[in-house]
């Protein structure tokens, strides 16, 4: 069993905040740098995406204890969340522009 899987298992079974903190410490730079690239250098958005990724990791921790490659899952989650964030922002901007034109 990998160290990541062991930390995740400890988080799930023992509710060990220390184990989850260690997982974050190990992977925060991977997630943040990927998010930063995906949101075109917007540091605030990249921070939001990073936080959402680790929130999702906490929610799905039980399911992920047997995942063969946690960094792969984290990268994929980062990509999906960043793209969703960008789409949401684009839709919001479009609605605001339409509302501005109507007024």
């Amino acid at each position: 069993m990998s160290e990541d899987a062991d930390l995740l298992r400890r988080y799930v079974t023992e509710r060990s905040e220390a184990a989850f903190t260690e997982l974050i410490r190990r992977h925060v730079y991977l997630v943040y740098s990927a998010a930063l690239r995906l949101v075109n250098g917007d540091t605030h958005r990249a921070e939001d995406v990073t936080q959402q990724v680790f929130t999702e990791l906490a929610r799905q921790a039980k399911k992920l204890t047997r995942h063969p490659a946690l960094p792969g899952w984290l990268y994929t989650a980062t990509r999906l969340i960043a793209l969703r964030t960008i789409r949401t922002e684009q839709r919001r901007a479009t609605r605001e522009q339409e509302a501005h034109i109507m007024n």
Side-chain angles (χ1 to χ4, degrees):
M1 182 180 289
S2 75
E3 288 184 46
D4 287 342
D6 186 49
L7 289 169
L8 207 51
R9 184 195 50 74
R10 281 185 32 221
Y11 172 68
V12 169
T13 59
E14 303 167 16
R15 282 302 193 206
S16 171
E17 287 185 33
F20 196 74
T21 300
E22 178 62 18
L23 276 172
I24 292 172
R25 187 194 65 73
R26 286 177 178 214
H27 299 290
V28 70
Y29 297 112
L30 165 79
V31 172
Y32 179 76
S33 63
L36 192 60
R37 282 190 307 274
L38 290 163
V39 297
N40 298 318
D42 185 333
T43 57
H44 296 292
R45 244 189 237 167
E47 289 170 358
D48 289 344
V49 168
T50 301
Q51 185 173 2
Q52 289 176 41
V53 168
F54 286 108
T55 300
E56 192 64 24
L57 176 62
R59 272 203 311 252
Q60 293 191 26
K62 187 173 183 177
K63 219 170 44 171
L64 293 171
T65 55
R66 293 196 172 114
H67 195 281
L70 186 62
W73 183 90
L74 288 168
Y75 180 79
T76 301
T78 301
R79 187 175 160 278
L80 294 173
I81 290 171
L83 293 174
R84 183 178 64 209
T85 300
I86 291 167
R87 279 193 311 269
T88 299
E89 179 63 28
Q90 288 172 341
R91 288 178 185 138
R92 185 192 60 75
T94 301
R95 285 192 304 272
E96 286 178 356
Q97 188 176 22
E98 289 172 357
H100 179 71
I101 290 170
M102 287 178 160
N103 292 331

